[in-house]
Amino acid sequence: MINKLINKIQKTKAPIVVGLDPMLSYVPEHIQKKAFDEFGETLEGAAEAIWQFNKEIVDKTYDLIPAVKPQIAMYEQFGIEGLKAYKKTVDYCKSKDLVVIGDIKRGDIGSTSAAYATGHLGKVQVGSKTYAGFDEDFATVNPYLGSDGVKPFIDVCKQEKKGLFILVKTSNPSSGEFQDQLINGKPLYEMVGEKVAQWGEDHMGDSYSYIGAVVGATYPEQGEILRKVMPKSFILVPGYGAQGGKGKDLVHFFNEDGLGAIVNSSRGIIAAYKQEAYAKFGAENFGDASRAAVEAMIADIQGALDAAL
Amino acid sequence: MINKLINKIQKTKAPIVVGLDPMLSYVPEHIQKKAFDEFGETLEGAAEAIWQFNKEIVDKTYDLIPAVKPQIAMYEQFGIEGLKAYKKTVDYCKSKDLVVIGDIKRGDIGSTSAAYATGHLGKVQVGSKTYAGFDEDFATVNPYLGSDGVKPFIDVCKQEKKGLFILVKTSNPSSGEFQDQLINGKPLYEMVGEKVAQWGEDHMGDSYSYIGAVVGATYPEQGEILRKVMPKSFILVPGYGAQGGKGKDLVHFFNEDGLGAIVNSSRGIIAAYKQEAYAKFGAENFGDASRAAVEAMIADIQGALDAAL
């Protein structure tokens, strides 16, 4: 799957991923109204609204981008109905040949991580049959529990040719509270990065590993260090746009081959029609606003890469 | 909710929680067969089997115990259908007046943690209405992202009078890989424990805080230290029984008031009928085997506490 991701990045010339993290407040009135007319102001109605919102954005952008990253929390907040919309979104994006990164940030003791890995990346046995639960292509994983909490995910990835992005240095303001603490003179995130590199070595695609890392766009200096610590790991970079990162800050997340990173934007793309720059599209044409925002993001990042490499 | 938990522990004289973590392989043949006859060997059939399994165990033990802890991964592995069984289990346990600790180990950047907190502990706004998604009483939370990843959970707990157990020192063999690393001479888990105590101070119930911690039964020495670091935090102690912990090893997780900890057993209770000690019950009477295992666990832990305090 890492080979497919790289192939698609090269074809689209777009090392970016669209974060499908819909808040109900991002969904234009006319979509909400239609969903509520059909299902009432219910969890089902909310789920229908975010699914229709996602579908329009995917329809208007899928030819420009290699991948999407639905954030499962945004669906989980609507309970079972929300998770049905998550699953519909995953399936629809796959039908459009997009690589789907499930932003699930799971992680637990071994047997429990194995269950998460089965549910999101693998297949579960039921009597004589097997079924895929959520069936994303990649998943994000939290490393706090150590190797035996991560390995069950790696095992399933090996079997299914899927991949991981493991949290190393997250994009939020207080990520340093634990992640930056020095251990023998080195910050914890670097230690986790070294582990990611180790785990990744045994699970290589053609040029990059199945096992990648998450490093926030908001920490470009740490990104430059971690790029060297994990030379063969793809870095998923959240925090572009709404959280503050810009293309020129991100060149050191990439290797000299112009690869090695994929930058996520969520709100900046999916709620583009609410920004002044794209207001001319109007709420009715929110999908076109998202397309224009994707084009601008690609130009910003690819431009910065072309200038730097 | 911490007051209710303590009240129930005192009434049942049982500082324990039953982990409802059903693997399909734990579910007796006759339950599986009935579910598969009705729904086929499908995800729906698997979900029905684990729900019926849970229901019988709850029916046979609810009067002895204060709380249950369903591990959501075990349901998530069966996709949407599995999560429906999770929700049914949560609701059923609440109808039996059990305190429900959702073992979800979520944690993300602020806005995303807010969505998880809303979905599991709070209420989500849909138009003019509000709905609870999963509606557990407590949730477990992963602290790797720092304060701003934890605070949205605390905010919802405050509003809803619910609680948290934050991962401090987990029960698995490789938990030390990152958690034991020394920072200025102190292990990371102690630093996290200090944060839990701080977060907890502002969110007190009558005698203990809404904000508790997870510390594995498999690390009794660390448990003794952390007990002192977080005097007002309840400690959820996984790893009893199947993972290796015993009652006498656990007395130092408690305070001198005989409170302050709640010990979880999952496989040891729910799959008791598979153990030699309870084989006499037979698979047909697996619920009675679980009841006997609960009684033995209470005697082991309460006995150790009575001897020590």
Side-chain angles (χ1 to χ4, degrees):
Chain A
M1 197 48 75
I2 187 69
N3 296 340
K4 179 176 175 182
L5 179 62
I6 292 170
N7 193 271
K8 288 202 60 113
I9 290 172
Q10 288 173 321
K11 268 193 190 148
T12 54
K13 296 193 186 11
I16 73 161
V17 50
V18 171
L20 296 172
D21 309 357
M23 297 293 289
L24 208 44
S25 60
Y26 299 169
V27 179
E29 277 300 312
H30 69 284
I31 303 263
Q32 288 196 42
K33 187 176 179 308
K34 189 155 179 262
F36 292 162
D37 282 352
E38 195 171 351
F39 297 99
E41 288 183 345
T42 60
L43 293 173
E44 213 179 342
E48 171 68 11
I50 61 177
W51 152 243
Q52 292 296 345
F53 178 67
N54 284 350
K55 185 173 177 301
E56 176 70 9
I57 289 167
V58 172
D59 285 342
K60 288 285 165 73
T61 59
Y62 77 93
D63 58 313
L64 299 178
I65 58 175
V68 292
K69 181 177 76 62
Q71 166 53 262
I72 199 168
M74 298 304 167
Y75 304 83
E76 217 166 302
Q77 70 182 324
F78 298 106
I80 302 288
E81 295 301 328
L83 286 161
K84 285 188 198 165
Y86 176 81
K87 175 62 176 148
K88 253 192 205 173
T89 301
V90 169
D91 289 346
Y92 188 69
C93 292
K94 288 174 74 170
S95 81
K96 293 286 187 184
D97 203 36
L98 289 164
V99 173
V100 177
I101 302 168
D103 198 353
I104 62 173
K105 294 193 181 66
R106 304 304 195 241
D108 209 299
I109 66 167
S111 54
T112 308
S113 277
Y116 280 129
T118 295
H120 287 279
L121 301 170
K123 294 187 188 76
V124 70
Q125 190 82 31
V126 179
S128 59
K129 308 234 170 76
T130 57
Y131 296 92
F134 288 100
D135 209 18
E136 302 96 323
D137 298 315
F138 284 82
T140 56
V141 166
N142 185 309
Y144 187 68
L145 286 90
S147 290
D148 62 25
V150 173
K151 289 234 165 105
F153 285 98
I154 297 180
D155 291 343
V156 171
C157 284
K158 219 168 162 177
Q159 210 171 337
E160 304 286 337
K161 304 221 172 301
K162 294 189 170 183
L164 303 179
F165 292 101
I166 295 169
L167 303 190
V168 172
K169 171 70 183 168
T170 56
S171 63
N172 55 313
S174 68
S175 72
E177 206 168 285
F178 303 126
Q179 297 166 26
D180 289 3
Q181 292 297 330
L182 295 183
I183 294 154
N184 298 322
K186 243 190 267 179
L188 175 60
Y189 64 74
E190 212 175 311
M191 193 180 171
V192 177
E194 285 167 3
K195 279 281 170 192
V196 168
Q198 261 178 44
W199 292 325
E201 266 171 24
D202 298 333
H203 303 89
M204 287 293 296
D206 290 340
S207 54
Y208 282 89
S209 173
Y210 288 19
I211 313 302
V214 174
V215 182
T218 39
Y219 298 102
E221 286 167 37
Q222 288 88 335
E224 190 169 356
I225 294 164
L226 287 163
R227 176 67 286 163
K228 294 187 183 100
V229 170
M230 314 174 289
K232 294 292 178 196
S233 297
F234 241 74
I235 302 179
L236 172 64
V237 187
Y240 175 89
Q243 283 184 59
K246 283 283 155 229
K248 66 177 167 38
D249 304 323
L250 302 180
V251 293
H252 298 298
F253 288 80
F254 290 81
N255 278 319
E256 283 175 13
D257 58 4
L259 291 168
I262 185 162
V263 182
N264 179 76
S265 177
S266 300
R267 206 179 341 153
I269 304 292
I270 67 174
Y273 76 99
K274 294 194 162 208
Q275 295 169 42
E276 220 184 298
Y278 305 104
K280 64 180 178 208
F281 289 100
E284 283 287 332
N285 304 306
F286 68 98
D288 297 310
S290 292
R291 185 176 179 89
V294 163
E295 285 169 339
M297 181 179 174
I298 295 172
D300 176 37
I301 291 176
Q302 201 55 56
L305 279 179
D306 289 343
L309 295 173
Chain B
M1 196 48 73
I2 187 69
N3 296 341
K4 179 176 175 181
L5 179 63
I6 291 171
N7 192 271
K8 287 201 60 112
I9 290 172
Q10 287 174 322
K11 268 194 192 149
T12 55
K13 295 190 186 8
I16 73 162
V17 49
V18 171
L20 295 173
D21 310 357
M23 296 293 290
L24 208 43
S25 60
Y26 299 169
V27 180
E29 275 302 312
H30 70 283
I31 303 263
Q32 288 197 41
K33 188 176 178 310
K34 190 155 179 261
F36 292 162
D37 282 351
E38 195 171 351
F39 297 99
E41 288 182 344
T42 59
L43 293 173
E44 214 178 339
E48 171 68 12
I50 61 178
W51 152 243
Q52 292 296 344
F53 177 67
N54 284 351
K55 184 174 177 301
E56 176 70 10
I57 289 166
V58 171
D59 285 343
K60 287 286 165 71
T61 58
Y62 77 93
D63 58 313
L64 298 178
I65 59 176
V68 292
K69 180 177 78 62
Q71 167 52 260
I72 200 169
M74 298 304 167
Y75 304 83
E76 217 167 303
Q77 68 182 324
F78 298 105
I80 302 289
E81 294 301 328
L83 286 161
K84 285 188 199 165
Y86 176 81
K87 175 61 177 148
K88 253 191 206 172
T89 300
V90 169
D91 289 346
Y92 188 69
C93 292
K94 287 173 74 169
S95 82
K96 293 286 185 183
D97 202 35
L98 290 164
V99 172
V100 177
I101 302 168
D103 197 353
I104 62 172
K105 294 193 180 68
R106 304 302 196 243
D108 209 300
I109 66 167
S111 54
T112 308
S113 277
Y116 279 129
T118 296
H120 287 278
L121 301 170
K123 294 189 189 76
V124 70
Q125 189 82 31
V126 179
S128 59
K129 307 235 170 76
T130 58
Y131 296 93
F134 287 101
D135 209 17
E136 302 96 322
D137 297 316
F138 284 82
T140 56
V141 166
N142 185 309
Y144 187 68
L145 286 89
S147 290
D148 62 25
V150 173
K151 289 233 165 108
F153 285 98
I154 297 180
D155 292 342
V156 171
C157 284
K158 219 167 162 178
Q159 211 171 338
E160 303 286 339
K161 305 222 173 298
K162 294 190 171 183
L164 302 180
F165 293 101
I166 295 169
L167 302 189
V168 173
K169 171 70 183 168
T170 56
S171 63
N172 56 313
S174 68
S175 73
E177 208 167 284
F178 304 125
Q179 297 165 26
D180 289 3
Q181 293 296 329
L182 295 181
I183 293 155
N184 298 324
K186 245 192 264 178
L188 175 60
Y189 63 75
E190 212 175 312
M191 192 179 172
V192 177
E194 285 167 3
K195 278 280 169 191
V196 168
Q198 261 179 45
W199 292 324
E201 268 171 24
D202 297 333
H203 303 90
M204 287 293 296
D206 291 340
S207 54
Y208 282 89
S209 174
Y210 288 18
I211 313 301
V214 175
V215 182
T218 41
Y219 298 101
E221 286 168 36
Q222 289 87 335
E224 190 169 358
I225 295 164
L226 287 164
R227 176 66 290 161
K228 295 188 183 99
V229 171
M230 313 174 291
K232 294 291 179 198
S233 298
F234 241 74
I235 302 179
L236 171 64
V237 187
Y240 175 88
Q243 284 183 59
K246 284 281 154 232
K248 66 176 167 37
D249 305 323
L250 302 180
V251 291
H252 298 298
F253 288 81
F254 290 81
N255 278 321
E256 283 175 15
D257 58 5
L259 291 168
I262 184 160
V263 181
N264 179 76
S265 178
S266 301
R267 205 180 341 154
I269 305 292
I270 67 174
Y273 76 99
K274 293 194 163 210
Q275 296 170 42
E276 220 183 298
Y278 305 105
K280 64 180 177 208
F281 289 101
E284 282 288 332
N285 304 305
F286 67 98
D288 297 309
S290 293
R291 184 176 179 90
V294 163
E295 285 169 339
M297 182 179 174
I298 294 171
D300 176 37
I301 291 175
Q302 201 55 56
L305 278 179
D306 289 343
L309 296 173

